[in-house]
Structure formats: C-alpha cells, structure tokens
Amino acid sequence: MNNPILHTFPLGFPWHTQDPFLFCVYHLDHFPKGNGEMGPDPELLKGRNMGNDFDPTQKWRMYHGKTIPGFPYHPHRGFETITVVNKGYCDHSDSLGAAGRFGEGDVQWMTAGRGVQHSEMFPLLHDDTDNPMELFQIWLNLPKANKFVDPHFKMLWHEEIPMVKENGVQIKIIAGGYKDTPALSPAPDSWASNPENEVTVWNISVEADTQFTLPKASNGTNRTLYFYEGSEIFIGDRKVNSKFGIALDSTQEVTVKVGAEKAHFLMLQGKPIGEPVAKYGPFVMNTQEEIQQAMEEYQLTQFGGWPWPHPDHVHDKHRGRFALYPDGSLVEKDS
C-alpha cells in the first residue's frame, strides 16, 4: 500500500486548509475570572495591544475586544462559518436581528451568502472561577451559484450532535456521517448539503496507546487531519508530532496509532469546489471585481445595518444558551 501521507505542515495561526475550506483557526484561551461585567479585571489589560490582541505568548487574548474578549461587529459575504465551541461561550448577534449564546460543545453554522454583519464575543460568565475557552472557526466556501443566497444560521446543539464512542475513540460528527451514524443536516445552501461533495467535519479524541481508522473517501476528495493536542502519533512507519497538520490520500483507509498521551484531532474533508477564489478580509468571491462590488455595497448598505446597542454586544449575564432566529422564533436550552 502507498504511504497515505501526502505532506505534513506545522499548525500556525490560522491553520492551512484545502478547497473547499478557506480558513481554520483554533482558539485556546485560559481566560481569568470575570469582573462582574463579563470581562477580565481591567488591571489585567494594561500593556496589551487593545483592539488587536493576538499575542501568542499570552495565556489568553482579547482579540479585537476592548472590555470583553471577542470580535465586535464585522461583515461577511460569499462563504460560511462553522463555529465549534468546546469550552466556554460565544455570544452571537447579527444584522438580521438574530442572536444567540452557545458553548460547551455547541456548533453554529452560518451562511453569510449575499452579506451579513455579526459579532462574536466571549463573555466571562464566571466571577468565582476561571473561564477557559476552546473554539474552532472554520470557513467553508460557497460555490459561485450560492454566493448571493440569503444569509442563514442554524444551531447544532451539543445534546443533538451525533457522537460515536468505540474502544477509546470518540468522534463528534459535525458534518459527514461516520459508518452508520449520520450528521445533522447542514445549512441548506451549503456545499455540504449535497452528500456527493463528501464534506466532513469531525472532532476526534483518542485515548493513549489506542488506534483508530479513517474510512476511504472518493478520489479527488481533499482530506486534512489536524493533530492539535497530544504527544505523537504513527501512520504506517511515519511518526508525526502534535501541532502538525497532515494532508492524507482520501482513497486509502488510514490507521492512526496514538502514542503515550491522549490525542485530539480535527478532520476537514470535502470535494473541491474548483472555482477561482478572490479574498479580501471578510469577503470571498470569484473575481477582484466582485470583491470591489462587495466593498462598495457594504459601504452603502452596511448589509442591513446594526440593530444592537453596541458593536461588541453581549447578552444578559444570567441568560442560558439560546438562539433567536431572524423570523423571531426562539429556542432556549438548559445551561
């Protein structure tokens, strides 16, 4: 059998991705106790580059937040965001009037389509203990035919996300079924909504001295396994250390043997869209002319404006997990 590893690469910030994925970033922040107003003690912010705090030497970052960590309002067009919050909470607000608080294993799938503004803030809800946060944000491209669909967001609540557990292996199935276990439905206009595109998003944890097998996929499908926590793994006779990504041959069944520490992985897979990609910050189109049009339209319309009182809007501190949709429907979950 041929070596299934096509190449490996160190995990930077963001992580390298393959078509149909555009971007993947991993946030691990050991946020301190809250100050009663969902931010850190102001004394801890002294000396930080507020509004642009991405210092990797720190245990936690404020990102573009100034009093509460996170990303105040910003636009998107032409792609989707899949936000996986394993620890901590994310407060979502958007220009459609939709909102939500999700975390502790929940996933938000948002189709930006023709354009939306949203904010993603990370409220420090606990004042008597630290507020650790672990989050992936994955950008999945939209094909040209769907670049201008209506914006949409849906929640995949952790109570409902399929989880396969077998022999020391746990696979959280965010997209793309595993064996006989299907994923929840993705957003309706997504590249992932057609099963023939074989879009897969799995978060995998494997106990030490255990192995697991990735099943085959179709020829021409891009597959990347991100080994983000652990010590070492072995694929065939090849050793790979943690903090590395592995591009794999999707036509081969791949057995991964885990070394002396429990290992954590994210797997992204899908058939490439195979269209030209023009990117400028939060806009992803097919041509530079379309990027220019997106910028001009955003300046004119603000993609519907901002209906919330603050650019870094957060929800009531004592509110549990919830989703308020653009049509006014509300889903509330136990925290």
Side-chain angles (χ1 to χ4, degrees):
M1 180 180 290
N2 295 328
N3 183 353
I5 297 179
L6 302 178
H7 63 269
T8 64
F9 54 92
L11 297 183
F13 191 91
W15 294 350
H16 172 73
T17 55
Q18 300 186 80
D19 187 0
F21 298 95
L22 298 161
F23 173 96
C24 181
V25 68
Y26 176 58
H27 296 284
L28 179 61
D29 289 285
H30 301 282
F31 286 123
K33 297 175 183 178
N35 64 355
E37 298 179 350
M38 294 181 280
D41 185 330
E43 285 292 315
L44 300 176
L45 302 181
K46 291 181 178 179
R48 288 179 176 265
N49 184 16
M50 297 307 294
N52 191 25
D53 178 13
F54 288 81
D55 185 348
T57 68
Q58 300 295 317
K59 289 185 176 181
W60 52 272
R61 290 144 290 273
M62 291 291 286
Y63 302 106
H64 294 306
K66 294 183 178 179
T67 56
I68 296 172
F71 297 86
Y73 67 14
H74 55 279
H76 289 300
R77 170 179 274 186
F79 64 100
E80 299 185 286
T81 57
I82 303 170
T83 306
V84 183
V85 184
N86 285 337
K87 299 175 185 176
Y89 293 91
C90 180
D91 275 10
H92 165 88
S93 309
D94 69 34
S95 55
L96 306 175
R101 171 170 288 162
F102 59 99
E104 298 300 318
D106 299 327
V107 177
Q108 185 202 64
W109 196 309
M110 188 183 82
T111 306
R114 59 182 166 77
V116 66
Q117 282 195 81
H118 78 150
S119 64
E120 301 157 294
M121 305 305 298
F122 311 136
L124 308 188
L125 299 181
H126 303 297
D127 300 334
D128 55 351
T129 186
D130 290 348
N131 291 271
M133 190 192 74
E134 182 183 75
L135 175 152
F136 302 96
Q137 186 164 93
I138 302 156
W139 290 14
L140 175 60
N141 201 7
L142 287 167
K144 184 178 180 65
N146 288 358
K147 290 285 191 190
F148 286 92
V149 297
D150 288 340
H152 177 91
F153 96 87
K154 69 178 298 180
M155 288 304 311
L156 310 181
W157 301 108
H158 70 76
E159 300 93 333
E160 300 160 12
I161 296 173
M163 192 85 73
V164 173
K165 298 180 181 180
E166 53 185 24
N167 304 320
V169 180
Q170 179 172 289
I171 302 176
K172 181 177 183 175
I173 305 171
I174 298 164
Y178 176 78
K179 295 185 177 178
D180 297 325
T181 303
L184 299 173
S185 298
D189 295 301
S190 176
W191 185 246
S193 65
N194 183 347
E196 293 183 0
N197 294 329
E198 299 185 53
V199 173
T200 299
V201 180
W202 295 342
N203 199 182
I204 306 168
S205 60
V206 186
E207 296 297 332
D209 301 314
T210 304
Q211 67 182 40
F212 70 101
T213 299
L214 298 174
K216 296 178 182 180
S218 299
N219 187 33
T221 301
N222 288 330
R223 171 182 283 180
T224 309
L225 185 68
Y226 300 91
F227 178 24
Y228 64 91
E229 186 177 331
S231 55
E232 73 281 324
I233 59 173
F234 300 87
I235 299 176
D237 59 1
R238 178 82 176 269
K239 175 183 174 181
V240 181
N241 293 321
S242 67
K243 309 291 193 295
F244 272 81
I246 310 154
L248 293 166
D249 178 354
S250 63
T251 66
Q252 295 189 46
E253 187 176 87
V254 179
T255 297
V256 179
K257 297 179 181 179
V258 172
E261 291 183 19
K262 184 175 183 177
H264 296 267
F265 307 89
L266 181 73
M267 193 179 87
L268 300 182
Q269 172 187 288
K271 287 187 176 175
I273 293 172
E275 296 176 350
V277 173
K279 290 191 289 187
Y280 183 80
F283 305 127
V284 182
M285 303 302 291
N286 296 104
T287 68
Q288 288 300 323
E289 182 181 30
E290 290 170 336
I291 292 290
Q292 187 64 36
Q293 290 169 350
M295 293 169 63
E296 291 172 0
E297 185 173 334
Y298 177 62
Q299 289 174 350
L300 285 172
T301 70
Q302 299 293 294
F303 292 162
W306 189 247
W308 305 97
H310 305 289
D312 57 352
H313 184 69
V314 292
H315 309 304
D316 183 86
K317 180 181 176 183
H318 301 290
R319 188 158 191 185
R321 296 180 297 136
F322 76 97
L324 173 65
Y325 293 94
D327 66 1
S329 60
L330 175 67
V331 175
E332 299 198 68
K333 294 286 182 179
D334 294 332
S335 292

